[in-house]
Amino acid sequence: MAPASDSAVEEPSLANTGAVMKSLSDLVVQNGNGVHVRCRDDGLKDTKAGIEIKIMSDLGTESNGVAAHTNTNDIRCEGYVPYAVKLVEQRPPGILGMGTANPPHTYKMDEFAKILAKPEFNGPPGAEVFVDRICKASGIKKKHTAVTADEVYAGYPNIYNFGEPSLDDRFKLFEKQGMNISIECSERALKDWGGDRSAITHLIVFSSTGMLTPAIDYRLLEALNLSPNVKHYFVSFLGCHGGVIGLRTACEIAEADPKHRVLIVCTELSSVQAQNIDPAFTRLNNIVTLTIFGDGAGAVVVGQPSKTEVPFFEMIRCKSTIIPNTSKSISVMITQHGLDANLEKDVPKNVSSSTGVFMKSLLDEFGLDFASVGWAAHPGGKPILDAIEKVCGLLPDQLENSRSVLENKGNMSSASVFFVLDEFRKKGRVAGRDWTVALGFGPGISIEGVLLRNIYH
Ligand SMILES: CC(C)(COP(=O)(O)OP(=O)(O)OC[C@H]1O[C@@H](n2cnc3c(N)ncnc32)[C@H](O)[C@@H]1OP(=O)(O)O)[C@@H](O)C(=O)NCCC(=O)NCCSC(=O)/C=C/c1ccc(O)cc1
């Protein structure tokens, strides 16, 4: 599949000190939608809807403008544009292929509560009542896991016994099972993209539940028969917003060169990191994390679409923030007995109170409001989604896809966002909305968002 050509058109006539660059219409109509115009200095305020103008300062920093004009022949840049250096035939990076995978075991949450409450699982008195309550409140009906409680009980007593050194056993289980779903979701994404896999230039793998050396990225190069020259790396323990950070990173790499094709893979096996209930029954957080997290993997191929590639989302803007004074809200320690996750009870309140401000700052410059976008929010937990819906005044259909992923798969940490975006694509446009925001929440509390223009129908 031929990459998009970078046909630079030098415009010496624009390289003047005039305060107004009158019209870009001659240049822009050559390609209809998706032309990027790169100019030095700032000042371009105005473009046609669907056409982005990139404004590059002399230092190479960029900002973008998107506009309200609908007439391609009336595109004006009414700013100070001393050096319009080139017109680059370039479309915004797009998600060109996507795939997801889950491990084979499925737990229904009513069974899950019963398993955890079995006497041989050492549940202290009263634990089963609490577990049952949490399972019911979680909004999760079923989830997939790589290992079953019985397997862990029989084969890995160190994992089963609360607090015993078991990190090595957990990573061994991750190695065995993690590669399978990483390969599966990547193959699906590559097939979905339909391009020649030798064109993949970058591979980045994220996981917050396991680590291997050589890592999954290295192993995937061979397993997927990718070029040995692919630029690759692995990012560990970033947290649940890892998938959205993956999208943002892929977007930035794709923007740098139309030939780049980036494969992002997120693999999470929370089941191998689950901590048993402590005999003193003081670590209620263990029960929460044991319950809400599920296993899954997701992959996307991102690049500037060539003439033969059809994206289903265009990536328009990425934004990141942290919520001040929340460093203890979501935190994870890597200990000898595995990952010790701490989710404070204030997470839903903190996330929902900051999400509105964050979303407003992402949407305002495009003239969009909360109602005009689909919310592909991280299915972190039912109270988080409920609180966002309430605080931001959303209609029920706006978080429907996040809720259905939570209900059927649980919180799959960094991989979750790909499952939610896949739901958007499968269901088609909801209420005629042209936009979706991929929204992730991670440790501290960090928030990541990517504004996507829906191309799918
Ligand atoms: C299903 C829960 C646990 C309960 O639902 P509820 O609507 O709050 O129900 P209740 O109000 O009836 O509460 C039931 C009980 O649970 C208790 N509880 C309520 N949250 C808690 C609590 N975080 N602790 C420990 N007891 C609690 C609550 O206090 C209460 O007990 P009690 O006080 O004795 O009546 C719900 O609160 C829930 O889903 N909480 C988790 C939300 C959450 O923080 N999600 C994580 C988002 S961020 C993320 O996904 C990324 C993580 C990450 C991954 C990997 C990394 O490496 C790094 C980061």
Side-chain angles (χ1 to χ4, degrees):
M1 196 161 288
S5 65
D6 182 353
S7 58
V9 180
E10 297 296 333
E11 277 299 306
S13 63
L14 296 174
N16 57 44
T17 55
V20 175
M21 186 161 85
K22 271 176 69 180
S23 172
L24 292 175
S25 56
D26 290 344
L27 306 178
V28 172
V29 288
Q30 290 173 9
N31 194 34
N33 272 356
V35 172
H36 281 216
V37 180
R38 295 196 167 205
C39 300
R40 288 263 174 89
D41 210 333
D42 59 2
L44 296 185
K45 302 287 184 222
D46 210 8
T47 80
K48 171 184 172 286
I51 292 180
E52 270 196 75
I53 287 185
K54 289 216 153 207
I55 305 154
M56 301 181 73
S57 75
D58 282 346
L59 294 173
T61 53
E62 295 186 1
S63 59
N64 295 335
V66 165
H69 277 295
T70 49
N71 177 358
T72 353
N73 293 314
D74 186 25
I75 294 164
R76 289 175 201 288
C77 298
E78 297 172 351
Y80 178 71
V81 187
Y83 311 105
V85 285
K86 63 177 182 178
L87 170 68
V88 184
E89 206 178 290
Q90 191 183 46
R91 293 184 66 184
I95 301 181
L96 309 172
M98 187 153 62
T100 59
N102 294 104
H105 304 297
T106 308
Y107 275 119
K108 291 191 177 142
M109 291 315 283
D110 47 356
E111 291 165 9
F112 193 69
K114 282 181 208 135
I115 289 161
L116 288 177
K118 276 196 221 172
E120 63 265 38
F121 280 96
N122 264 356
E128 67 275 21
V129 178
F130 188 78
V131 172
D132 191 45
R133 224 178 118 200
I134 294 293
C135 285
K136 287 196 174 109
S138 68
I140 304 169
K141 287 198 178 136
K142 58 182 193 313
K143 65 179 185 176
H144 297 267
T145 64
V147 291
T148 64
D150 285 330
E151 272 168 21
V152 172
Y153 178 48
Y156 301 89
N158 290 2
I159 293 181
Y160 157 73
N161 291 323
F162 172 81
E164 282 198 18
S166 52
L167 194 59
D168 50 350
D169 279 342
R170 293 172 189 276
F171 282 172
K172 269 183 228 151
L173 280 171
F174 182 88
E175 176 169 26
K176 207 163 120 194
Q177 307 275 358
M179 278 314 295
N180 293 342
I181 56 171
S182 302
I183 294 169
E184 211 177 316
C185 72
S186 303
E187 285 290 2
R188 285 181 183 149
L190 291 167
K191 186 167 177 226
D192 192 36
W193 165 48
D196 182 341
R197 62 183 67 201
S198 66
I200 295 289
T201 53
H202 295 72
L203 166 65
I204 312 173
V205 182
F206 297 76
S207 180
S208 296
T209 46
M211 254 164 75
L212 312 168
T213 305
I216 301 181
D217 55 322
Y218 176 95
R219 297 173 195 223
L220 278 181
L221 290 188
E222 293 193 330
L224 300 173
N225 201 18
L226 299 177
S227 158
N229 302 122
V230 165
K231 295 186 171 78
H232 61 101
Y233 56 91
F234 175 75
V235 186
S236 56
F237 302 119
L238 201 52
C240 289
H241 58 341
V244 186
I245 293 178
L247 288 175
R248 188 236 294 160
T249 310
C251 179
E252 287 163 354
I253 294 171
E255 271 180 336
D257 188 331
K259 294 190 194 69
H260 288 165
R261 291 293 172 276
V262 189
L263 176 61
I264 299 287
V265 182
C266 290
T267 303
E268 301 292 5
L269 297 185
S270 299
S271 63
V272 309
Q273 293 296 348
Q275 299 289 331
N276 209 339
I277 304 167
D278 68 314
F281 195 34
T282 52
R283 305 283 302 258
L284 299 186
N285 221 265
N286 285 0
I287 298 177
V288 173
T289 51
L290 190 66
T291 307
I292 68 169
F293 287 106
D295 295 352
V300 283
V301 177
V302 169
Q304 291 179 32
S306 68
K307 291 189 174 68
T308 54
E309 290 171 313
V310 184
F312 38 90
F313 291 109
E314 282 179 345
M315 308 171 89
I316 303 300
R317 186 74 79 257
C318 307
K319 201 169 182 76
S320 317
T321 197
I322 60 168
I323 307 179
N325 306 316
T326 55
S327 62
K328 292 194 169 59
S329 282
I330 302 173
S331 60
V332 180
M333 283 282 288
I334 303 169
T335 73
Q336 289 173 350
H337 59 266
L339 298 192
D340 221 340
N342 183 46
L343 305 173
E344 293 285 321
K345 290 183 191 175
D346 63 6
V347 171
K349 184 169 92 21
N350 278 331
V351 167
S352 59
S353 61
S354 299
T355 295
V357 180
F358 177 81
M359 284 291 281
K360 194 166 166 5
S361 68
L362 183 59
L363 299 177
D364 265 1
E365 71 176 290
F366 298 91
L368 300 169
D369 57 23
F370 292 173
S372 44
V373 299
W375 291 51
H378 171 54
K382 185 173 179 298
I384 296 181
L385 298 177
D386 289 348
I388 291 176
E389 187 173 292
K390 190 167 169 219
V391 172
C392 298
L394 305 185
L395 295 167
D397 70 353
Q398 287 179 278
L399 284 174
E400 176 181 280
N401 292 326
S402 297
R403 287 190 191 282
S404 87
V405 169
L406 183 69
E407 192 174 309
N408 294 304
K409 313 265 181 182
N411 175 348
M412 293 169 287
S413 192
S414 68
S416 307
V417 65
F418 303 124
F419 287 82
V420 180
L421 289 176
D422 210 27
E423 287 293 302
F424 272 92
R425 176 168 64 148
K426 278 194 267 185
K427 288 186 185 154
R429 285 170 198 266
V430 177
R433 292 188 190 99
D434 291 330
W435 302 85
T436 303
V437 175
L439 195 55
F441 314 113
I445 296 178
S446 318
I447 308 184
E448 285 284 331
V450 180
L451 176 63
L452 304 162
R453 195 186 343 250
N454 304 340
I455 308 295
Y456 62 85
H457 296 288

